[in-house]
Amino acid sequence: SSELKNHMFICAYRSNEVDVEHSFSKLMDDVVAKGEESVEKMELFSLSPTSITSFIADAVKKEEEDTEVQELSSVVYQTTMGNIFFTKQALEELVRKNILFYDMMCFEWRWVVTKVELANNMSADVVESVLGKIRDLPEEMQELLSLMSYIPNALDVPTLKALMCRDGASYEESEVKDLLEQSFDEGMLLRVSPNWIFAHDRIRQASLRFASEKSGSEETLLHISSVLLAEGAGREWCQY
């Protein structure tokens, strides 16, 4: 737009997955070589054990010095190594398994298991943790996430409605919107108006793994391809 005077691009990537030969690295080298003074690089690291303890203490409304908080944060940190997304998923997993629960009699968060039991009830990797959450979601939401996982593009409601209408199932756009809002409330999706995307790439990865576990994946891929072809006038799609 000729009215656009200022803009800012934020590019995020995992440095351990992008080496010097990667196309993104070459692009950034080219940008820097052209003398762009406004280019800044910021390295973000996992949180420290102290920060994870502070986060967990705030989440369960207890003091950081509390022995129980120290034990819980120690176990969580050993599993997540300070990855904040994984930390949140680990806590949610403990809640789903009723290991971490809110005591309505005492009006406080409690856990009454040993450190070993805490560790044994947390998944070893973040995708498995998210996968466990997906398995507990309503079937319609599982279907929505499964279909979306095959398509890295952001998707709008009409396209999602077309994807959901299969095998005799019929949906109105309002019903699809309700499912999207519920998925947002569960922390699975984000709205980038007018489209919807996964809130985190690990959520998409877990959704794709969940989809691959179900029978009929080839029929699903064929259905998705047919819908995208029908919806694809003037649009470019990527599917995998």
Side-chain angles (χ1 to χ4, degrees), residues 68-84:
E68 289 184 325
V69 171
Q70 292 286 334
E71 290 184 351
L72 176 60
S73 61
S74 173
V75 174
V76 171
Y77 185 84
Q78 288 173 20
T79 300
T80 67
M81 298 306 294
N83 182 304
I84 187 60

Side-chain angles (χ1 to χ4, degrees), residues 15 28 84 104 159 163 188 194 196 201 204 214-215 235:
S15 57
M28 293 309 300
I84 187 60
M104 298 299 294
T159 301
L163 289 170
M188 310 302 280
W196 290 83
D201 64 330
R204 177 175 178 250
K214 300 192 300 180
S215 60
R235 302 177 68 178

Side-chain angles (χ1 to χ4, degrees), residues 1-238:
S1 171
S2 59
E3 298 180 357
L4 184 63
K5 304 300 181 183
N6 300 287
H7 60 268
M8 177 175 64
F9 293 101
I10 300 177
C11 304
Y13 65 98
R14 293 186 177 90
S15 57
N16 63 319
E17 297 178 4
V18 177
D19 59 23
V20 293
E21 296 300 320
H22 194 280
S23 57
F24 180 76
S25 295
K26 293 179 179 180
L27 172 63
M28 293 309 300
D29 289 342
D30 185 51
V31 170
V32 173
K34 289 181 179 179
E36 296 289 347
E37 298 180 356
S38 57
V39 176
E40 293 188 17
K41 184 176 180 180
M42 179 184 299
E43 294 188 23
L44 301 179
F45 301 95
S46 297
L47 298 181
S48 66
T50 300
S51 296
I52 291 297
T53 299
S54 297
F55 175 79
I56 291 177
D58 183 67
V60 299
K61 307 302 180 186
K62 293 181 180 288
E63 297 296 325
E64 294 179 31
E65 297 77 16
D66 190 302
T67 302
E68 289 184 325
V69 171
Q70 292 286 334
E71 290 184 351
L72 176 60
S73 61
S74 173
V75 174
V76 171
Y77 185 84
Q78 288 173 20
T79 300
T80 67
M81 298 306 294
N83 182 304
I84 187 60
F85 176 73
F86 194 179
T87 297
K88 292 168 67 177
Q89 297 303 316
L91 291 175
E92 286 188 21
E93 185 173 17
L94 291 175
V95 171
R96 288 197 304 274
K97 294 180 177 180
N98 207 34
I99 302 299
L100 175 61
F101 61 95
Y102 190 77
D103 191 328
M104 298 299 294
M105 298 295 291
C106 300
F107 300 104
E108 66 175 1
W109 286 97
R110 298 185 63 197
W111 51 99
V112 289
V113 296
T114 66
K115 293 177 67 174
V116 173
E117 290 174 303
L118 280 171
N120 289 340
N121 279 281
M122 284 188 289
S123 300
D125 69 88
V126 65
V127 174
E128 188 64 34
S129 182
V130 178
L131 186 58
K133 180 176 181 177
I134 293 173
R135 291 186 178 124
D136 287 339
L137 294 175
E139 188 173 335
E140 288 182 322
M141 200 181 302
Q142 292 176 345
E143 175 74 357
L144 175 69
L145 296 174
S146 295
L147 290 167
M148 289 184 67
S149 69
Y150 285 104
I151 311 166
N153 304 67
L155 296 169
D156 57 26
V157 173
T159 301
L160 287 168
K161 173 181 177 294
L163 289 170
M164 291 289 289
C165 291
R166 65 167 183 153
D167 298 331
S170 178
Y171 290 86
E172 298 295 331
E173 285 195 7
S174 59
E175 295 175 302
V176 175
K177 288 179 180 177
D178 287 342
L179 278 175
L180 290 167
E181 291 293 345
Q182 292 171 34
S183 300
F184 172 80
D185 291 340
E186 290 288 347
M188 310 302 280
L189 299 178
L190 292 176
R191 182 175 184 178
V192 185
S193 187
N195 299 321
W196 290 83
I197 61 173
F198 282 100
H200 196 281
D201 64 330
R202 297 306 189 202
I203 298 176
R204 177 175 178 250
Q205 188 177 345
S207 299
L208 189 58
R209 185 185 296 183
F210 177 82
S212 68
E213 292 178 352
K214 300 192 300 180
S215 60
S217 58
E218 292 184 357
E219 290 81 358
T220 297
L221 288 171
L222 181 60
H223 165 69
I224 293 173
S225 300
S226 300
V227 170
L228 297 187
L229 281 172
E231 298 279 329
R235 302 177 68 178
E236 293 184 0
W237 295 103
C238 180

